[in-house]
Amino acid sequence: MAECHPVGFQWVMEAKARGATVIHVDPRFTRTSAVADLHVPLRAGSDIVFLGAIINYVLANEKYFRDYVVTYTNAAALVTEDFVDTEDLDGVFSGLNHEYRYYDFDTWRYQGEDVVKPAGGEHLDPMCGPSPCRGDSGRTPASTWSAC
């Protein structure tokens, strides 16, 4: 980033000066790696595993800014009770029409016809936002994370 986007990189350096930890994920060692607090040289093909590990860590340890997530995202919106995740349907999401090989997205909708404000309000219900993702990201065994 330091070489390709030097104007944008100034904000990374300012954040670092204010105490932020800079983590650079790249198989190559670059100028950005040199100023980063942590350089993670991923092997080819392991990037999605690394991303899954980060998502799992953030959700499991609630390291997200809860007030922002609830107020400014759709994380508090409740999905319909018809939604069934892949772990209960042998690897496919609810709404799959096997005969015609397409998904009917009606089971993926949020509760309520026209959701303008998230139905979850000030709390995060088990059927909203981070909760289903927490289950998805936690399914991968910890031994897989060492592939990075």
Side-chain angles (χ1 to χ4, degrees), residues 82-138:
D82 298 334
F83 177 78
V84 183
D85 206 352
T86 57
E87 60 193 22
D88 299 323
L89 292 176
D90 295 327
V92 296
F93 289 102
S94 60
L96 177 65
N97 183 325
H98 290 283
E99 183 180 347
Y100 296 106
R101 299 179 56 86
Y102 78 93
Y103 277 101
D104 177 13
F105 302 112
D106 287 338
T107 61
W108 299 10
R109 298 187 188 281
Y110 297 123
Q111 288 182 10
E113 288 292 321
D114 297 321
V115 177
V116 176
K117 180 133 174 85
E122 294 296 318
H123 68 286
L124 292 178
D125 188 90
M127 283 303 290
C128 70
S131 299
C133 293
R134 188 175 289 121
D136 291 339
S137 66

Side-chain angles (χ1 to χ4, degrees), residues 51-107:
L51 179 61
I54 290 174
I55 292 170
N56 183 42
Y57 177 81
V58 168
L59 293 176
N61 296 297
E62 296 189 16
K63 296 287 187 180
Y64 50 89
F65 185 32
R66 185 179 181 83
D67 293 339
Y68 178 85
V69 169
V70 170
T71 307
Y72 298 107
T73 71
N74 64 352
L78 302 172
V79 295
T80 63
E81 293 180 8
D82 298 334
F83 177 78
V84 183
D85 206 352
T86 57
E87 60 193 22
D88 299 323
L89 292 176
D90 295 327
V92 296
F93 289 102
S94 60
L96 177 65
N97 183 325
H98 290 283
E99 183 180 347
Y100 296 106
R101 299 179 56 86
Y102 78 93
Y103 277 101
D104 177 13
F105 302 112
D106 287 338
T107 61

Side-chain angles (χ1 to χ4, degrees), residues 5-29:
H5 305 285
V7 175
F9 192 68
Q10 73 180 351
W11 302 113
V12 174
M13 294 310 296
E14 186 171 321
K16 183 176 180 176
R18 292 181 177 191
T21 302
V22 177
I23 301 171
H24 185 232
V25 181
D26 193 329
R28 305 163 295 148
F29 190 86

Side-chain angles (χ1 to χ4, degrees), residues 24-38:
H24 185 232
V25 181
D26 193 329
R28 305 163 295 148
F29 190 86
T30 64
R31 290 182 189 177
T32 306
S33 309
V35 297
D37 297 303
L38 178 63

